[in-house]
Amino acid sequence: MSAPVSKWRKAGMRVKAVNRFQSKQQETVQIAKDLINQIKQRAKFTSLVSYSLKALKELASNDEIIADLFEHGVVDALVAIKDAHPNNENLTIGINNLLSHLCVTNLHAELIAESLGDNLTKLTCDTVVSSVAEDTIASSLALVNKLTDSKTVCRALVERGTIMDTMATVLEAAASESVAAAASQTLSKIIDQEVDETGASVASFIAKGGVDHILHAVKTFSHQRMMVQAGMCVLSKLKDSQEARQELKKHNALPVMSEILYAYSSQPIIKQATVSIVNAISTVSDVEQSVSASLDASASVKQQADAISNLSALSAVEAHAAVVADGQTMEEVLSIMQPHLVKDEETKTFIDSSSPLLLTHGANLLSRTANCKEHSEKIVALGGAKVAGSIAKLAVDSGSKSEHDAEMSASGIRALDKMLTCDTVDAIVSEEMPVVEAALEAFPESAAVTQAALSFFSGVATQAPHKLSSSSVEKVVACIHKHSSDPLIVQSAVTYLLGAYQTDSSLCSQAFDTAHGVGACLQVLDALTPSNDLLTRASAASASTPSSSHAARGSLSVFEPEKSRNTGVSGGDDPEIISAVLAAANMLNTMKGMATVEQKAAISSMLVRASVAFPDSEKL
């Protein structure tokens, strides 16, 4: 056994290590200083400055080096590059990326703005507007977003009178969801900073059609949650402006609000923002006008459908929903829908090509107004449950697998789900459960139908647990098999199954085993958890990237390409994925007695893999 190293030797080793680090640090700073000087002297040499931009970003690996870069005039060097190459978008991206990298804290943002001086607008707003390539615009927006974290910088940009107009221009021309979402996020942040004391910038944004541009972006990218959330949040913050409310009414925002409310009913941030907008731009008289428009005998079926859609959006406001749920009003609305519930016996077609649209909006209206037991009782008494069930069944019987038919069926099931709070729940379940199960079989790939059916099953388990059936349990397990990579569906399905197990463990266990539930949950873990190979590669990539104290700050995910959820590596920070994995693990733990020897080994392996993939989850 070797003799212990003396404390003096240890101290000497530490001193040498510190000296080596300081020497390396000084060498790095000198290289950076030389690069900055080279840029200032030879800014016109494209290859040289391109290399220098990348090198400086790599060298800026800690706060001390970053401070030295500022001291040696790195911002002036970047201005020199921009002046020498105003239209070179590759260099513009390099400048944006380096500045974003240097923008570690609000103090760094303010230092950059101070160093830029009169060039602040040139390297931010002007660059965003003048850029053509999407990558350049995205990198410019990323820089602006980081800089505006500082209230001081945000105020400076607002006082120059260009930042809000710039965002309006970007939104008008946005060709991608990521760019539109980034602009909307920046707008939201600027409004939150409350630096526009006079309101002039907001007024200018509205005058330049900003409200219409956001509405258009939301409609264009309505399937992109990030864009919808960013856009609706901005509109909800602008709604206090009379001019903004007028613009929303002028551009007929209600149909958009109606679509968003149903597409994102499970997203509380989007739902809250949308309801606040509807409340700001509508009154009870708007409800009455929409009812009148839907009852207009001279109106086309399409016009009636649009009126019902508006009525559905208006009903998101509690006071408006109470008006619609009133006996006479609801009876009139149901009377409009009745003729469209019957197809022609010979042609097997609807009486009008817009009938499916009218019925879909009508079912959405029923689920929107049946928001409490009192309203549900009124609607069911008028035959609303039968109408909702008929709508879901019509879509199933069509034999079509189209997205429109799936949405029509889902809308009917959502309405039925809301009516389960009434006293006649047993009758509704007995009559309509077969329809819901048939819809799952008819549209197995539809996330909308699956989510609506799962919500209905959960409602039955809560309101009428004695109606639990092995058939519904098997259908829910089948949903997990089919949608194992969709964390929201998995979570809903497992929540139902765990509740069913508590209600009748014997029935649930038998049905779960019959439907191969253990295999379904293992499929979820495999789909949502990174493989060992992916984890190894991600770890290696992370290790090869120089660490720095500011790297953890990261950038908004909107500026990164959206990664597929079932790759696993991108899911580490996604709470929806973690919750779904936890749910599947809990289900396996509950049903572990049914697993075969091979499955038990697979479960152990999968749980180890999940615990490595999601190290921050203590439960795993």
Side-chain angles (χ1 to χ4, degrees), residues 32 36 56 60 64-75 102:
I36 291 170
L56 284 170
E64 290 76 11
I65 295 176
I66 289 175
D68 283 321
L69 291 182
F70 280 115
E71 183 179 340
H72 292 302
V74 66
V75 175
L102 298 176

Side-chain angles (χ1 to χ4, degrees), residues 205-260:
F205 174 78
I206 295 171
K208 287 186 176 295
V211 171
D212 182 35
H213 299 330
I214 293 177
L215 271 178
H216 179 72
V218 169
K219 284 190 287 186
T220 303
F221 307 110
S222 61
H223 295 296
Q224 301 291 337
R225 180 177 63 84
M226 193 176 294
M227 172 60 232
V228 172
Q229 180 169 309
M232 299 313 291
C233 285
V234 173
L235 291 176
S236 69
K237 291 168 184 176
L238 293 174
K239 72 181 187 304
D240 294 333
S241 161
Q242 183 178 350
E243 291 79 9
R245 292 196 297 273
Q246 290 174 345
E247 285 291 299
L248 286 166
K249 291 181 179 179
K250 173 184 173 183
H251 296 289
N252 197 21
L254 278 178
V256 182
M257 303 298 111
S258 180
E259 179 184 346
I260 297 305

Side-chain angles (χ1 to χ4, degrees), residues 276-598:
S276 72
I277 296 166
V278 173
N279 193 27
I281 64 174
S282 63
T283 63
V284 173
S285 64
D286 292 315
V287 176
E288 295 168 349
Q289 289 175 11
S290 294
V291 173
S292 298
S294 63
L295 293 171
D296 186 358
S298 62
S300 67
V301 175
K302 176 64 169 64
Q303 289 172 326
Q304 288 181 316
D306 290 341
I308 291 176
S309 175
N310 287 349
L311 199 56
S312 176
L314 290 165
S315 297
V317 179
E318 175 61 34
H320 299 168
V323 173
V324 179
D326 175 70
Q328 182 178 351
T329 303
M330 181 53 67
E331 188 173 8
E332 291 172 337
V333 172
L334 290 172
S335 70
I336 301 168
M337 299 163 65
Q338 285 292 346
H340 302 276
L341 293 172
V342 181
K343 290 186 176 181
D344 184 274
E345 292 185 2
E346 293 183 4
T347 62
K348 303 298 182 183
T349 58
F350 287 102
I351 61 173
D352 189 275
S353 59
S354 294
S355 293
L357 183 65
L358 183 144
L359 292 174
T360 301
H361 289 327
N364 287 339
L365 175 62
L366 291 176
S367 62
R368 179 62 65 191
T369 51
N371 56 6
C372 65
K373 183 176 181 179
E374 180 186 356
H375 293 172
S376 294
E377 296 283 5
K378 291 180 179 179
I379 294 170
V380 171
L382 292 169
K386 292 186 180 297
V387 170
S390 297
I391 292 172
K393 190 173 186 301
L394 275 171
V396 171
D397 292 343
S398 70
S400 167
K401 303 292 184 181
S402 72
E403 185 179 340
H404 294 297
D405 280 337
E407 179 52 40
M408 180 176 164
S409 182
S411 67
I413 297 170
R414 283 193 291 261
L416 288 170
D417 177 34
K418 290 296 187 71
M419 298 177 202
L420 293 176
T421 57
C422 65
D423 293 335
T424 56
V425 59
D426 282 5
I428 294 175
V429 174
S430 297
E431 291 179 18
E432 309 302 345
M433 178 66 87
V435 175
V436 177
E437 292 181 350
L440 277 175
E441 291 184 2
F443 306 103
E445 306 289 342
S446 171
V449 170
T450 302
Q451 282 283 26
L454 288 173
S455 182
F456 179 84
F457 289 149
S458 296
V460 173
T462 302
Q463 303 296 331
H466 55 282
K467 288 287 187 178
L468 177 69
S469 68
S470 57
S471 174
S472 60
V473 172
E474 291 173 12
K475 290 288 190 299
V476 171
V477 174
C479 291
I480 297 177
H481 275 293
K482 184 63 69 174
H483 300 276
S484 59
S485 61
D486 188 320
L488 291 178
I489 288 179
V490 169
Q491 223 177 322
S492 298
V494 173
T495 299
Y496 167 78
L497 291 173
L498 289 171
Y501 184 80
Q502 291 179 348
T503 300
D504 189 333
S505 59
S506 177
L507 181 149
C508 184
S509 297
Q510 186 175 352
F512 186 83
D513 190 35
T514 301
H516 308 291
V518 172
C521 291
L522 279 171
Q523 189 176 324
V524 169
L525 293 179
D526 188 46
L528 296 180
T529 308
S531 67
N532 292 328
D533 177 53
L534 283 172
L535 287 171
T536 302
R537 281 188 284 155
S539 177
S542 176
S544 67
T545 303
S547 61
S548 65
S549 59
H550 63 282
R553 185 169 182 265
S555 60
L556 291 177
S557 60
V558 70
F559 302 115
E560 301 294 335
E562 188 171 347
K563 300 179 179 67
S564 173
R565 275 181 167 162
N566 59 8
T567 62
V569 171
S570 62
D573 296 326
D574 191 328
E576 292 176 359
I577 290 180
I578 294 175
S579 296
V581 170
L582 274 172
N586 286 335
M587 196 68 216
L588 285 170
N589 187 51
T590 302
M591 300 294 190
K592 59 188 175 186
M594 297 178 181
T596 63
V597 174
E598 292 80 5

